[in-house]
Amino acid sequence: MDCKVSVIICAAGKGERAGFNKNKLLAPLFGAPALWHTLKKFDMPEIDEVIVTSSAQDLKEISALCAPFGYKIVTGGKNRTDSVKSALAAVTGDITLIHDGARPFVTTELILSCINSVKKFGSGVCAVKITDTVVYAEYGELRGTLERDKMYRAQTPQAFYTEDIKKAYELAGDSVYTDDSSVYGAFIAPPRLVDGDESNIKLTFKKDFSQEYATINVCSDTRAGLGCDVHCFGNGSGITLGGVKIPCGKSLIAHSDGDVVYHALMDALLSAAGLRDIGCYFPDSDPQYKNADSGKLLNTVVKLIYEAGYTAVNVSVAIQAETPRLSPYIDKMKDNISRALYISPDSVGITCGTGEGLGFVGEGLGIYVNCAVTVKKFPNN
């Protein structure tokens, strides 16, 4: 019997133990947000539908990550249990897999094993046997030893027939659970275990985001791209560079908002991914781009390079301007670029110089920007 398979990816948490001061799933892992790697793993023919939970705070960023895959987004609740309930309400498949967004190392084999286990036994929960001696303690004192042969560590995915897991969560009421097998086991039946994988770790602490600890082969190709742009000064009272509005006795003449930094950056990204220049995607003959926000255009470019299989690794921007003085705005520009590309601000370099009174820039006629980027290509898996 053919079954439609849905996946719920839990990404609505805060991940405070990782210490990033934001959702850990949006922190960079090998040049892309950690969540991106998880989303990529479920882009496979056997999966018919993917629903991702997100907090209201992270909705914009997570929606941008999901867009190239066509995944659905639902707003999560105050805890994991509430978030899964919200996602289950949107599920349309016969079988539902529930997976932690913080487990980007899941393999195709594990996913298929869970699906097959549901078809054969009604459920499939990834778990690995514990090899260490397991003890329990109170007040810092060892009180006993558990039977190691019966001890497992539960992982995700955890898969069930949709009607069963929905019923389990309905019967659970307001009770809070840390994983789905516990809910299923409490109200439906003992869940069936599937051999898990030691490499299917859950990103919990900051050290887990280091290549020293992570063991995923994500990149098969590294490329560089160059972009440049120039705009003339015109009458006005301010300019926008790198998404930052800067007071100035002039403006930059352009069809859009004239953000020459973002324009050079977009061309560099598109070039690195082997795509056409920004004029191809946002022609100045199209009225919809009149006074357009270049930050929104940059978001579109990021989606385009993701769809081409690339993600940015680092950025170098060189701004040539006689006026205004730009140093007070550099840090904010770096923050804007890092958020747009899902990379650390430390991976963004911005330098500023003048024309020393020479040429177009030196005569104060406009601003010229060069940009270089490095991107990495992700393999199909």
Side-chain angles (χ1 to χ4, degrees):
M1 180 181 67
D2 290 334
C3 293
K4 180 178 179 181
V5 178
S6 300
V7 175
I8 294 171
I9 297 178
C10 300
K14 296 180 180 179
E16 294 173 337
R17 286 181 291 177
F20 288 112
N21 296 318
K22 64 177 181 180
N23 187 341
K24 65 184 178 184
L25 298 183
L26 299 177
L29 177 71
F30 298 100
L35 179 60
W36 186 89
H37 299 290
T38 306
L39 300 177
K40 180 71 173 175
K41 292 299 181 68
F42 290 91
D43 185 20
M44 50 191 288
E46 294 82 1
I47 303 298
D48 300 288
E49 172 184 69
V50 177
I51 299 168
V52 182
T53 68
S54 170
S55 66
Q57 178 180 350
D58 298 328
L59 190 60
K60 182 177 179 180
E61 290 182 80
I62 290 179
S63 295
L65 286 176
C66 291
F69 301 102
Y71 294 166
K72 300 177 183 178
I73 314 292
V74 299
T75 304
K78 61 181 182 295
N79 53 52
R80 188 184 188 281
T81 300
D82 288 342
S83 295
V84 172
K85 285 181 178 178
S86 296
L88 282 171
V91 164
T92 62
D94 305 296
I95 292 174
T96 298
L97 282 72
I98 305 174
H99 186 67
D100 295 326
R103 291 187 187 270
F105 307 100
V106 63
T107 64
T108 298
E109 291 73 22
L110 276 180
I111 296 169
L112 294 178
S113 292
C114 288
I115 295 172
N116 291 333
S117 181
V118 173
K119 292 178 179 179
K120 188 173 182 179
F121 302 106
S123 60
V125 174
C126 288
V128 292
K129 292 199 70 170
I130 291 177
T131 56
D132 296 320
T133 297
V134 183
V135 301
Y136 65 92
E138 290 180 326
Y139 309 110
E141 296 179 346
L142 192 152
R143 300 294 186 181
T145 302
L146 303 178
E147 293 185 57
R148 183 175 60 188
D149 291 343
K150 296 181 180 179
M151 296 294 108
Y152 289 79
R153 287 185 288 111
Q155 299 180 326
T156 63
Q158 299 185 0
F160 316 91
Y161 280 117
T162 302
E163 60 180 342
D164 289 338
I165 194 63
K166 281 186 175 182
K167 181 179 179 181
Y169 268 101
E170 289 172 4
L171 294 173
D174 295 329
S175 299
V176 176
Y177 293 82
T178 58
D179 85 332
D180 313 286
S181 64
S182 301
V183 187
Y184 182 89
F187 298 101
I188 304 298
R192 183 77 179 192
L193 295 185
V194 171
D195 287 337
D197 190 330
E198 289 287 355
S199 67
N200 184 27
I201 67 169
K202 185 177 182 180
L203 299 173
T204 303
F205 303 104
K206 186 173 288 189
K207 67 180 178 62
D208 299 327
F209 288 74
S210 165
Q211 291 192 39
E212 180 181 352
Y213 294 91
T215 56
I216 189 171
N217 178 22
V218 296
C219 299
S220 60
D221 190 13
T222 301
R223 295 184 178 186
L226 298 175
C228 62
D229 198 28
V230 60
H231 284 300
C232 296
F233 282 125
N235 295 326
S237 58
I239 61 176
T240 300
L241 295 180
V244 180
K245 295 187 182 301
I246 301 172
C248 180
K250 306 173 183 179
S251 65
L252 289 171
I253 300 173
H255 185 65
S256 65
D257 61 5
D259 193 328
V260 65
V261 170
Y262 275 176
H263 295 175
L265 172 59
M266 286 188 278
D267 264 341
L269 291 167
L270 291 166
S271 174
L275 302 175
R276 300 287 297 276
D277 58 72
I278 58 174
C280 176
Y281 299 98
F282 317 112
D284 58 13
S285 58
D286 191 331
Q288 71 173 307
Y289 300 118
K290 179 68 175 176
N291 300 318
D293 181 345
S294 294
K296 293 181 179 179
L297 302 185
L298 177 58
N299 290 338
T300 300
V301 167
V302 171
K303 293 178 185 178
L304 288 172
I305 69 167
Y306 272 150
E307 289 169 357
Y310 291 91
T311 182
V313 177
N314 73 294
V315 173
S316 178
V317 178
I319 307 172
Q320 295 291 305
E322 205 72 19
T323 186
R325 184 169 177 267
L326 298 177
S327 58
Y329 308 102
I330 298 301
D331 287 343
K332 181 59 177 174
M333 287 189 219
K334 290 180 62 171
D335 287 342
N336 288 345
I337 292 172
S338 70
R339 283 198 302 271
L341 302 187
Y342 303 103
I343 59 178
S344 166
D346 293 339
S347 297
V348 180
I350 299 178
T351 60
C352 301
T354 68
E356 299 293 342
L358 301 174
F360 172 83
V361 171
E363 294 176 15
L365 299 178
I367 296 178
Y368 177 76
V369 175
N370 274 308
C371 181
V373 303
T374 303
V375 300
K376 287 186 176 181
K377 185 174 178 62
F378 293 85
N380 294 323
N381 51 24

